Amino acid sequence: MDEQPRLMHSHAGVGMAGHPGLPQHMQEGTGGADGDGRKQDIGDILQQIMTITDQSLDEAQARKHALNCHRMKPALFNVLCEIKEKTVLSIRGAQEEEPPDAQLMRLDNMLLAEGVSGPEKGGGSAAAAAAAAASGGAGADNSAEHSDYRAKLAQIRQIYHTELEKYEQACNEFTTHVMNLLREQSRTRPISPKEIERMVAIIHRKFSSIQMQLKQSTCEAVMILRSRFLDARRKRRNFNKQATEILNEYFYSHLSNPYPSEEAKEELAKKCSITVSQVSNWFGNKRIRYKKNIGKFQEEANMYAARTAVNATNVSSHGSQANSPSTPNSAGSAGSFNMSNSGDLFLGVQSMNGDSYQGSQVGANVQSQVDTLRHVISQTGGYSDALTASQMYSPQAISTNGGWQDATTPSSVTSPTEGPGSVHSDTSN
DNA sequence: GCCGATGATTATTG
DNA sequence: CAATAATCATCGGC
């Protein structure tokens, strides 16, 4: 806001008075309005500057030429170059090249692994390819789920590449600019090629640190994306009905020892088209949940027991599976495909049993729990090969503190003069 | 939208 | 290292 007054003052001749090169008379050429006067002044000043500049430039050029042509000039220049070289070298020695950055390498590796910085889409995106390969048979919905992920990854990839390109271009432009500048200056002052080199290196270092930031943030973005999309827990899918049936069938037909061997797990996994670890998860969950609330699973237990039972009878019409109490989990339920109309019959059975263990929850009464178990076992035992085995393993299986694990001593618990244990016999009809 | 079922993960244990 | 127990997070029926 105080510009105006000052200009006014300068017009009065005070401001410019200090400039020796400016003849005073020029400033008061026109006495008219303020504006006119100032314009005139500026014009004059500009013109003066022009002439002065031209003059000085010419003069400088002339001087330069004179210097360049001076007979001592090359020698002096060489001396200067030598001195410069030495100082540059000493500086260089002080801060030698930094070691290849481990962090940067890690970032690079990760970006490569994620398919962000690798070759173009086709063969690239190693992660996606691996995921697709891993999905194997049931890949249909898997790929559908990953499509979104891949789209986002491609987006990140594109941003990364454009940014990288931009940085590179800027770096190159800046480098050439600086090099031109230095080369031009090298005509008037001693600049060794090494110095230029060093300058370029510095510029590159600066830009690569920027690049590293870019890589870092890209990595972060990919990590977030991964955690959001590939966390299986978030995108949990229930197993299909058939798979659940197969698993349940196995579980209930091996209720006395529901710990499938590794081979059994593999087979189940194949049958259900899920992974082995999913089978393990399933059995882990099933065991714990069954044990926690046997009553809740009673119906289910009876149903599957009945199925396998019917199956067993169908398969081996003349049940010659006399007595082989060795491995209860090798079972004959392998190729079991169920009869559908048997359900009614056994629902009735189940309801009958239901009464007896209704109140026997929560481990209050050991005996009642044993009885409960015996009901289930009796049914499976009645029909399948589990007959012999079950009596060996099951009664004390889920005892007071539960757990099939400590069923290692199949001792005397068989049937101490109890009713419920033997009630089963008539269910065979 | 609530709520039980369910597959997966995590911490702990032997 | 596998099993268990607790927990998380989603699914799916109502």
Side-chain angles (χ1 to χ4, degrees):
Chain A
M1 273 307 236
D2 50 2
E3 296 284 338
Q4 201 72 359
R6 240 188 270 155
L7 283 175
M8 305 261 275
H9 279 277
S10 81
H11 174 68
V14 180
M16 294 300 191
H19 287 256
L22 294 179
Q24 283 290 26
H25 70 270
M26 283 236 166
Q27 293 185 353
E28 33 216 53
T30 53
D34 273 359
D36 283 352
R38 232 172 21 231
K39 250 187 238 165
Q40 184 69 38
D41 286 351
I42 292 169
D44 290 347
I45 291 165
L46 272 176
Q47 203 176 344
Q48 278 233 330
I49 289 173
M50 291 291 279
T51 51
I52 286 170
T53 312
D54 280 349
Q55 278 174 1
S56 64
L57 268 182
D58 287 348
E59 205 175 319
Q61 210 66 12
R63 274 188 203 157
K64 209 164 118 184
H65 188 70
L67 265 175
N68 276 337
C69 294
H70 196 276
R71 63 197 162 88
M72 289 296 281
K73 189 254 170 186
L76 278 171
F77 200 84
N78 277 349
V79 170
L80 279 174
C81 277
E82 261 174 53
I83 294 169
K84 191 102 186 199
E85 189 101 353
K86 275 179 198 161
T87 53
V88 166
L89 277 178
S90 69
I91 290 168
R92 265 191 124 197
Q95 40 157 22
E96 252 312 319
E97 61 224 59
E98 83 271 49
D101 197 347
Q103 168 105 14
L104 186 63
M105 276 178 60
R106 254 192 307 138
L107 289 176
D108 276 337
N109 284 342
M110 187 193 152
L111 289 174
L112 206 63
E114 292 298 329
V116 175
S117 65
E120 236 340 294
K121 242 202 146 159
S125 62
S135 68
D141 75 334
N142 215 345
S143 66
E145 268 175 34
H146 286 335
S147 71
D148 202 12
Y149 169 79
R150 255 176 285 169
K152 289 255 161 64
L153 191 66
Q155 209 177 321
I156 289 176
R157 183 193 165 89
Q158 208 210 325
I159 291 170
Y160 171 77
H161 276 117
T162 43
E163 288 296 308
L164 203 63
E165 209 173 302
K166 236 190 280 177
Y167 285 157
E168 238 151 55
Q169 199 183 333
C171 179
N172 283 340
E173 265 173 33
F174 193 67
T175 306
T176 44
H177 178 72
V178 168
M179 275 171 74
N180 284 340
L181 215 64
L182 286 177
R183 227 171 274 142
E184 178 144 346
Q185 286 190 5
S186 74
R187 260 181 270 151
T188 51
R189 69 190 181 94
I191 296 175
S192 65
K194 271 187 187 169
E195 206 179 349
I196 295 178
E197 220 173 87
R198 188 168 139 264
M199 208 49 142
V200 169
I202 289 171
I203 294 168
H204 281 181
R205 221 175 299 154
K206 289 276 177 220
F207 272 91
S208 75
S209 83
I210 295 171
Q211 271 190 20
M212 186 155 120
Q213 280 177 21
L214 172 69
K215 283 174 183 175
Q216 198 156 8
S217 51
T218 307
C219 275
E220 273 168 31
V222 171
M223 292 302 270
I224 291 167
L225 190 68
R226 272 183 82 84
S227 71
R228 186 158 306 161
F229 278 86
L230 295 187
D231 186 359
R233 196 149 75 168
R234 288 180 191 278
K235 284 272 177 190
R236 169 175 88 70
R237 298 229 62 96
N238 286 355
F239 299 154
N240 61 39
K241 206 152 174 114
Q242 202 191 345
T244 318
E245 298 239 322
I246 291 168
L247 292 167
N248 270 317
E249 218 162 85
Y250 188 97
F251 180 80
Y252 287 111
S253 68
H254 298 78
L255 198 55
S256 55
N257 187 29
Y259 297 89
S261 64
E262 207 53 38
E263 300 95 70
K265 277 184 198 169
E266 271 168 36
E267 183 158 346
L268 285 169
K270 209 192 290 176
K271 269 202 231 169
C272 304
S273 47
I274 57 178
T275 67
V276 173
S277 64
Q278 280 178 308
V279 174
S280 298
N281 283 340
W282 191 91
F283 272 89
N285 283 323
K286 191 71 183 180
R287 280 190 300 263
I288 201 81
R289 282 163 187 164
Y290 179 84
K291 199 164 73 176
K292 250 186 185 168
N293 194 351
I294 295 172
K296 200 173 72 184
F297 289 92
Q298 204 56 56
E299 195 175 329
E300 199 176 64
N302 288 332
M303 198 175 83
Y304 281 101
R307 281 189 192 184
T308 53
V310 170
N311 238 352
T313 49
N314 281 353
V315 168
S316 60
S317 46
H318 305 301
S320 64
Q321 72 279 78
N323 40 7
S324 56
S326 47
T327 56
N329 71 337
S330 61
S333 69
S336 58
F337 293 107
N338 36 12
M339 301 263 307
S340 52
N341 56 0
S342 62
D344 297 335
L345 172 68
F346 289 100
L347 274 178
V349 172
Q350 158 257 315
S351 66
M352 183 193 82
N353 285 339
D355 297 335
S356 62
Y357 47 71
Q358 202 69 320
S360 70
Q361 259 350 300
V362 208
N365 183 351
V366 176
Q367 188 57 50
S368 65
Q369 282 205 341
V370 171
D371 289 347
T372 303
L373 254 293
R374 203 166 290 145
H375 279 275
V376 179
I377 300 305
S378 68
Q379 284 174 9
T380 62
Y383 303 100
S384 69
D385 62 335
L387 172 62
T388 54
S390 64
Q391 285 179 344
M392 290 293 291
Y393 289 87
S394 58
Q396 95 280 34
I398 308 175
S399 56
T400 44
N401 45 12
W404 291 269
Q405 285 295 59
D406 49 10
T408 48
T409 57
S411 50
S412 62
V413 200
T414 34
S415 63
T417 70
E418 266 296 293
S422 56
V423 179
H424 71 281
S425 56
D426 53 356
T427 56
S428 59
N429 308 328

